[in-house]
Amino acid sequence: MGTLMNTYGARAVTIAKGEGSRVWDTEGNSYIDAISGIAVCGLGHCHPAVTRAISEQAATLLHVSNLYNIPQQQRLADALCAISGMDKVFFSNSGAEANEAAIKIARKYGNEKGVANPTIVVMNNSFHGRTMATLSATGNTKVQIGFEPLVEGFVRAPFDDIAAVEALAEAHDNIVAVLVEPVQGEGGVHVPASDYLNRLRALCDRHDWLLMTDEIQTGNGRTGRYFAYQHNDILPDVVTTAKGLGNGMPIGACLARGKAAEVLQPGNHGTTFGGNPLACSAALAVVETLQQDQLIERARDLGAQLLTRFKAALKDESGVTDIRGKGLMLGIQLDRPCAELVSLARDKGVLLNVTAGNTVRLLPPFVLTEAEADELVNTVSALVRTFIHATFTHQ
Ligand SMILES: *Cc1c(COP(=O)(O)O)cnc(C)c1O
């Protein structure tokens, strides 16, 4: 791997192909993909509707730039606005870029209100991306160390702590927005109190701040609603998404409503690739398939079922400190570091991920079959149990 910058270290497996919830490596081994390319391939690998959309568009027109009308972009924006209750969309190529657009909206909104040094509330333990502004917003020093000076204009509160945000409101007169993940993903699959977003919404209304939800991971059906804020019957002012939107085609979106939707005007923001015909065609197929095949309901029901089954299977394991999740975003937290479970699971034919050091994160495709769900629960529960007993003496 000498010519690749060493940002990902050594990687043990080369995946050669995928279909549905399974992938195969170059040695011919098959795996249940319970990470879905990090919450990307919700429809499973090589979903025929997405493959068809990409193939047809690739044979027609790949790219023209945003100097010209792009009907696929318009159609996708219409569909996403109808689903979300937002008014306008800016398309990007990635999640971090969608958040960059949101951060720019918040700052310009604040500057236009005459707020000096407009500041955004972000949460501890959050993840918002790897660009300079988004890593500065992220609540994890691991992604920040070495990259100082950080971008200014963020203040931080513990996640799921309304009083802490109220205290920030008292202490600062230049806050203009709150940026929050409805369920923290990279931070360890943390689900806040069920009224957390409602209370943040009320606080933002009281102070004339923008509520901006980072739905890059939670969006596109992952938690059992198209966007996770829809569990709360509220509307944010800004919503960012990416990961699952293209099922593997790189595309992100920053959606905005009301006054937030009017902030960016010609010349304020741009992108060469963002929202190109190919990416938008793929995303349109994703949005249509999620709805037509009732896959969001499937994510909700299958997720609830998996949560119950993991809780039952691991209820007597004292080394398991929490099992939590929403839809098909599941975390099994252990009382010890468990990064080795990634390779142990791989040896048993399951791709999963460990996040925040001690939490097994499962993000399976929504098309996971009943048989695959059985295999996932049985394999992962047995592994966790064996791992806890094998590492017991070290504690
Ligand atoms: C993955 C992720 C991002 C960053 O998205 P990229 O496409 O990797 O830039 C931002 N926010 C959240 C919540 C994410 O899960």
Side-chain angles (χ1 to χ4, degrees), residues 45-53:
H45 293 278
C46 301
H47 191 287
V50 181
T51 302
R52 192 180 323 115

Side-chain angles (χ1 to χ4, degrees), residues 13-25 29-52 54 222 243-244 246-249 286 289-290 295 349-352 363-369 372:
V13 174
T14 307
I15 307 292
K17 66 171 183 172
E19 189 183 338
S21 301
R22 283 198 176 270
V23 293
W24 287 263
D25 69 15
N29 301 307
S30 131
Y31 306 87
I32 290 190
D33 184 2
I35 193 70
S36 301
I38 319 184
V40 167
C41 303
L43 303 188
H45 293 278
C46 301
H47 191 287
V50 181
T51 302
R52 192 180 323 115
I54 292 173
R222 177 58 55 186
K243 291 197 166 92
N247 210 57
M249 183 60 74
V286 171
T289 306
L290 281 172
L295 288 172
V350 174
L351 301 185
L352 51 71
L363 300 161
F366 313 162
V367 295
L368 197 76
T369 63
E372 287 163 342

Side-chain angles (χ1 to χ4, degrees), residues 171-194:
H172 302 269
D173 60 5
N174 57 353
I175 293 171
V176 295
V178 173
L179 175 64
V180 64
E181 294 159 89
V183 176
Q184 287 189 330
E186 306 301 309
V189 192
H190 293 290
V191 185
S194 60

